[in-house]
Amino acid sequence: MITRFLNLRGWGWLMLALIVAGCATPPPPDYTNFRAHRPRSILVLPPINQSTAVEATYGYLSTVTFPLAEMGYYVFPVAVVDQFLKENGMPTAGEMHQIPLNKVHEIIGADAVLYTTLVQYGSKYQVLNSKTEVNVKGKLVDTRTGITLWEGVGVAQQSSGGSGNLIADLVAAAVTQAVNSSMDSAHDVSRTANANLLQLKGRGILYGPYHPEYEKEKP
């Protein structure tokens, strides 16, 4: 019995350690390469969509330009670039992500490319509440050298809970689901996810040359 108790106790500590490790904050990015290859312009490609939402790719893509511009970079118009690449035989995000970096620099002139992957995008509904979540991974790569300058993760959630009145909550949940099914509710949540991905101090990208704080971050 004592041995069995100790074994169970050991498993308990192991499970607790795994839970704590899963909740631990990931280490901050290493900015060494970023500081050595400071980009001025960034090309954003449509994200790889791993979620089940068909509207995710372009619902998310339309929200990326603003935070990058706020950080002090010239960002190539995503709609123009998307159409240009489609007209040149690359109709999907997966194909666009395979473009050789030297060609991106030669033809488009971008200093860096931002690759993104949507892990989660959309809403989940339960009886009395709903949760809209956007989970995105990003990687910034230098087009001249192919060196990864930065990697990060941005997550944002928006939840609606019950008020305690069962009838009112059922009606509200039905209305929320009907409204969200006719529009892209994750689009607005993407803005917060992008802020957490790109602008969070110590985890997002460094300031670009068109930001007043740029000179303070130069090596």
Side-chain angles (χ1 to χ4, degrees), residues 20 40 52 73 76-77 79 90 95 122 151 173 175 190 210 216:
V20 171
R40 302 181 68 86
T52 58
Y73 295 93
F76 291 85
M90 287 160 282
E95 290 169 313
E151 291 184 86
V175 171
S190 292
Y210 307 109
K216 297 180 181 180

Side-chain angles (χ1 to χ4, degrees), residues 25-96:
T25 303
D30 182 353
Y31 291 107
T32 303
N33 289 334
F34 204 129
R35 290 189 170 96
H37 305 274
R38 299 300 291 262
R40 302 181 68 86
S41 60
I42 297 176
L43 172 70
V44 182
L45 293 176
I48 299 295
N49 181 19
Q50 295 179 345
S51 76
T52 58
V54 295
E55 72 277 10
T57 298
Y58 293 101
Y60 170 80
L61 182 63
S62 63
T63 66
V64 183
T65 302
F66 183 74
L68 286 173
E70 276 198 327
M71 292 298 289
Y73 295 93
Y74 173 76
V75 188
F76 291 85
V78 291
V80 174
V81 171
D82 180 63
Q83 187 61 35
F84 171 76
L85 295 178
K86 285 180 177 177
E87 290 176 352
N88 284 274
M90 287 160 282
T92 69
E95 290 169 313
M96 295 178 190

Side-chain angles (χ1 to χ4, degrees), residues 108-193:
I108 299 178
D111 296 323
V113 177
L114 178 65
Y115 299 97
T116 55
T117 300
L118 285 170
V119 180
Q120 179 64 42
Y121 185 98
S123 300
K124 295 180 180 179
Y125 302 97
Q126 296 177 342
V127 177
L128 297 179
N129 56 56
S130 64
K131 181 178 73 173
T132 301
E133 179 180 352
V134 176
N135 184 328
V136 59
K137 297 187 295 185
K139 180 171 70 172
L140 190 68
V141 182
D142 183 73
T143 57
R144 297 180 181 87
T145 64
I147 293 173
T148 296
L149 307 181
W150 164 89
E151 291 184 86
V153 176
V155 181
Q157 296 180 353
Q158 184 178 31
S159 301
S160 62
S163 65
N165 185 319
L166 180 60
I167 301 301
D169 289 343
L170 285 171
V171 172
V175 171
T176 299
Q177 185 167 353
V179 171
N180 287 348
S181 65
S182 64
M183 58 184 293
D184 184 3
S185 59
H187 179 270
D188 289 335
V189 180
S190 292
R191 302 181 192 280
T192 305

